[in-house]
Amino acid sequence: MDRRWIQNPNRCADEYLDGIEDFIEFARRHNPGATRIRCPCRRCNNTLWETIENVGFHLVRNGMIETYSIWNLHGEQLEHASSSNATRVDNVQPIVDANDQVMDIIQDVFPFASTNMNQEEQDDVPTPIDSAEFEQYEKLLKNANQELYPGCESFSVLTAIVELMHGKIKYRMSNLCFDYFLGVFKRMLSTDNCLPKDHKQAQKVLNGLGLGYEKIHACENNCMLFYKEHESLDTCPICNESRFKMTSQNRTTKIPQKVMRYLPLKPRLQRLYMSTHTATDMRWHQEKRVDDDVMRHPADGEAWKEFDRTFPEFAADPRNIRLGLATDGFNPYGVLNQHHSTWPIFVFPYNLPPWKCMKKEYMMMTVLITEDPGRSIDVYLRPLVDELKDLWTNGVRTYDKSTRKMFTLRAAVMWTVNDFPAYAMVSGWSTKGYMACPVCKEDVTPGWHAGKVCYLGHRRWLPWDHEWREKDKEFDGNTERRLRPREWSGDEILDQLNRLDFAPFYTYELDAQAYVF
């Protein structure tokens, strides 16, 4: 059986899909009655068991292990395999040891930790890390090499913490539940084990991996953030509300009225190129995408191509990142607190191939607003907008592990993705009332009917000689002679914003950039 289809990079090709059907049929024939088989996709790596239907889906989404041409884990006998088209069994990708995976993570975080600290910076040479980062690297390396207990070879301290924290996140375990089981495991092991006693200590060990977050205080009335030029203030300069809650005089620490958690975007985008698992995939949209006029990815769309024509300097480097931004509010407490609203703001890179770019593993939460922002979500977006503007204008020096060279990474917001109510909060244009249409703006045709605002005049979009334009009795009693409303450019929207007298709306600026792109 010819198995060259495994090497086919186009997983939508008929040859590849037929090959998957042959494999599924082969697996069914050699595992009669079985509902689950090993999944040979690149992610499962023949270590996870999936239903036969899911295996077929995984092979389309992730691709099959390229060296798995002898299906010995699915019933094929080695002596029956054809030597002309089969690869040796010892070339099959081995199961990666957990300790090796942890060391790979450390190398991804500090790809040039061994660089000479006195080395002069060159364009192709990474900038040496400072002493504080090197100290973090040494701590992680020490925990990665330290045995969990004397004589334990399968788990180091760092490996055990990473595995446990991964399970906590994957199965949505609370901190209290995690502390309980961590205590149980610690008592099960020998008394001289090095397992941390609770979640807080485990987090301290992992802090060296980076990707933390910042706490930014906010005004109780959502007027402003105590950020940058207002960071040292104790009262809001707009409403004179106190920054902190009233507490007893014996308390040494102050409790802020509101706190926003901001997760910096730059280190997360840099990590995509510092990791061996994603550095090559970040150029997929240009180097591996099949351009055959079929819409499979945003790069196949006209908006992406128009952006490339408008900003050729940005498009010249395929490593520059195109981003999408999405947000929506939800109530995590259900009926227990009907007035609460939590607003996470996500950013996702469109450079990745379609089977990765919309997966939760690559969706980056940048802002977490834990209380209802009301109509002032623009206030909470300011740190993100500042960082996006800097990424567009100046970029950030990043190490590309696939090429082992430094480059200046830039990023642009291509789209914002929201439902209509959230669109009103993010863009600043109200989606209620007589001017609710963000396309027509003030040229909308509203009316009042049956106690509601209705929007008429849709015949304006019809061709000039369409027969419905002449029909008056069937519609509102008037013939339609008006042209369709003109489209507003992002520059015109910004110009309208600049003519306003009140505090600046950062949401308008962000939405206008996305509108232009």
Side-chain angles (χ1 to χ4, degrees):
M1 182 187 297
D2 187 6
R3 297 174 186 178
R4 286 177 295 181
W5 59 270
I6 297 175
Q7 312 290 335
N8 192 338
N10 182 10
R11 295 200 285 274
C12 296
D14 292 338
E15 177 195 14
Y16 191 87
L17 298 177
D18 292 341
I20 291 178
E21 292 183 4
D22 292 340
F23 171 78
I24 295 296
E25 179 61 29
F26 179 88
R28 288 182 188 274
R29 189 167 61 250
H30 287 80
N31 298 272
T35 58
R36 290 177 176 270
I37 60 173
R38 291 180 184 269
C39 180
C41 78
R42 294 175 181 174
R43 178 169 295 182
C44 297
N45 200 24
N46 270 326
T47 60
L48 300 181
W49 294 76
E50 296 284 350
T51 62
I52 295 179
E53 291 76 13
N54 282 347
V55 168
F57 174 73
H58 282 200
L59 293 178
V60 175
R61 184 184 65 181
N62 305 325
M64 181 180 276
I65 302 171
E66 294 181 354
T67 56
Y68 189 54
S69 55
I70 300 179
W71 300 335
N72 60 301
L73 296 178
H74 296 82
E76 184 172 3
Q77 300 298 321
L78 300 183
E79 60 270 19
H80 295 158
S82 172
S83 59
S84 60
N85 55 17
T87 309
R88 289 175 55 88
V89 179
D90 52 356
N91 286 336
V92 177
Q93 293 182 357
I95 300 174
V96 181
D97 183 75
N99 292 322
D100 293 338
Q101 287 182 325
V102 169
M103 291 302 298
D104 288 342
I105 293 174
I106 296 177
Q107 294 301 324
D108 288 343
V109 179
F110 305 97
F112 36 83
S114 59
T115 302
N116 186 358
M117 302 298 286
N118 298 321
Q119 179 177 321
E120 295 182 0
E121 181 179 357
Q122 301 175 7
D123 185 59
D124 292 345
V125 177
T127 306
I129 60 178
D130 56 32
S131 57
E133 288 182 274
F134 195 75
E135 184 179 349
Q136 291 284 358
Y137 170 74
E138 287 187 322
K139 287 181 180 178
L140 288 170
L141 201 60
K142 178 182 177 182
N143 288 320
N145 293 324
Q146 184 179 8
E147 295 179 342
L148 183 60
Y149 56 86
C152 178
E153 298 180 357
S154 55
F155 281 93
S156 66
V157 175
L158 188 59
T159 303
I161 294 175
V162 169
E163 291 278 1
L164 291 172
M165 292 292 281
H166 176 72
K168 175 187 182 300
I169 296 170
K170 184 176 181 179
Y171 298 107
R172 302 176 183 179
M173 193 182 300
S174 68
N175 291 353
L176 192 63
C177 179
F178 184 79
D179 288 347
Y180 170 77
F181 281 108
L182 202 60
V184 172
F185 295 152
K186 192 170 180 65
R187 293 195 302 271
M188 286 180 178
L189 300 175
S190 60
T191 55
D192 52 355
N193 70 83
C194 301
L195 195 67
K197 64 179 182 179
D198 55 22
H199 176 259
K200 189 174 183 179
Q201 284 195 357
Q203 265 193 325
K204 287 182 179 179
V205 176
L206 296 182
N207 281 343
L209 294 176
L211 305 185
Y213 64 89
E214 304 172 8
K215 289 184 178 180
I216 303 176
H217 298 173
C219 173
E220 185 181 16
N221 298 321
N222 301 322
C223 302
M224 52 158 284
L225 296 177
F226 294 94
Y227 168 75
K228 284 192 174 180
E229 67 273 13
H230 302 308
E231 188 174 2
S232 60
L233 300 181
D234 288 337
T235 57
C236 174
I238 299 175
C239 66
N240 294 322
E241 189 69 31
S242 175
R243 175 178 180 173
F244 302 99
K245 296 180 180 179
M246 297 294 294
T247 56
S248 63
Q249 296 180 353
N250 297 329
R251 189 179 181 93
T252 57
T253 58
K254 297 180 180 180
I255 303 176
Q257 299 273 17
K258 281 188 177 181
V259 178
M260 179 196 80
R261 287 160 177 82
Y262 179 64
L263 297 85
L265 181 60
K266 289 180 183 177
R268 284 164 171 78
L269 296 181
Q270 287 177 306
R271 190 63 58 84
L272 293 172
Y273 285 101
M274 293 161 63
S275 173
T276 54
H277 302 286
T278 53
T280 304
D281 284 339
M282 289 298 290
R283 301 191 301 271
W284 178 92
H285 65 95
Q286 180 165 321
E287 296 178 355
K288 297 184 179 180
R289 179 175 59 91
V290 179
D291 191 2
D292 56 357
D293 295 330
V294 177
M295 185 70 178
R296 303 187 185 93
H297 187 269
D300 297 318
E302 187 57 34
W304 188 296
K305 297 174 183 177
E306 177 63 24
F307 178 84
D308 287 349
R309 291 190 289 267
T310 307
F311 303 101
E313 182 183 355
F314 183 94
D317 191 343
R319 294 174 294 190
N320 289 332
I321 301 179
R322 329 296 177 97
L323 298 172
L325 184 144
T327 183
D328 201 359
F330 70 99
N331 183 358
Y333 302 107
V335 297
L336 299 178
N337 187 348
Q338 297 184 3
H339 300 288
H340 180 86
S341 181
T342 295
W343 286 75
I345 298 174
F346 293 94
V347 168
F348 32 92
Y350 282 124
N351 290 41
L352 293 168
W355 54 88
K356 282 188 177 182
C357 66
M358 296 305 295
K359 297 299 178 182
K360 63 181 181 181
E361 293 86 351
Y362 301 100
M363 292 185 181
M364 308 172 189
M365 185 171 68
T366 56
V367 178
L368 181 62
I369 309 171
T370 54
E371 296 190 38
D372 188 2
R375 297 184 178 181
S376 303
I377 196 172
D378 57 287
V379 171
Y380 296 92
L381 279 172
R382 183 187 171 186
L384 176 59
V385 172
D386 287 348
E387 194 168 14
L388 286 171
K389 290 168 68 175
D390 186 57
L391 279 169
W392 170 254
T393 306
N394 304 316
V396 59
R397 294 294 288 171
T398 303
Y399 180 68
D400 186 351
K401 196 158 188 177
S402 62
T403 61
R404 300 187 181 278
K405 293 182 180 179
M406 295 290 289
F407 73 102
T408 300
L409 171 65
R410 296 174 60 197
V413 175
M414 293 282 290
W415 294 281
T416 56
V417 184
N418 310 103
D419 59 12
F420 215 46
Y423 177 91
M425 296 189 65
V426 174
S427 68
W429 186 276
S430 175
T431 55
K432 298 178 182 179
Y434 285 96
M435 297 177 62
C437 181
V439 177
C440 300
K441 301 191 183 299
E442 64 266 17
D443 204 9
V444 71
T445 309
W448 186 262
H449 179 71
K452 296 182 179 180
V453 178
C454 300
Y455 307 100
L456 309 174
H458 292 85
R459 288 180 292 164
R460 298 172 64 181
W461 273 268
L462 294 174
W464 185 251
D465 57 349
H466 199 282
E467 59 178 346
W468 284 6
R469 281 182 172 268
E470 302 297 330
K471 294 184 178 181
D472 50 359
K473 295 181 181 179
E474 288 82 350
F475 294 94
D476 57 357
N478 300 310
T479 58
E480 186 59 78
R481 298 294 183 184
R482 296 176 297 171
L483 298 175
R484 61 183 299 174
R486 72 181 185 91
E487 295 182 0
W488 293 75
S489 68
D491 292 333
E492 290 174 318
I493 296 174
L494 283 175
D495 185 58
Q496 288 182 340
L497 169 66
N498 293 331
R499 292 199 297 267
L500 298 176
D501 295 331
F502 45 84
F505 278 80
Y506 303 102
T507 53
Y508 265 103
E509 190 170 356
L510 176 62
D511 186 64
Q513 283 186 342
Y515 186 85
V516 172
F517 296 164

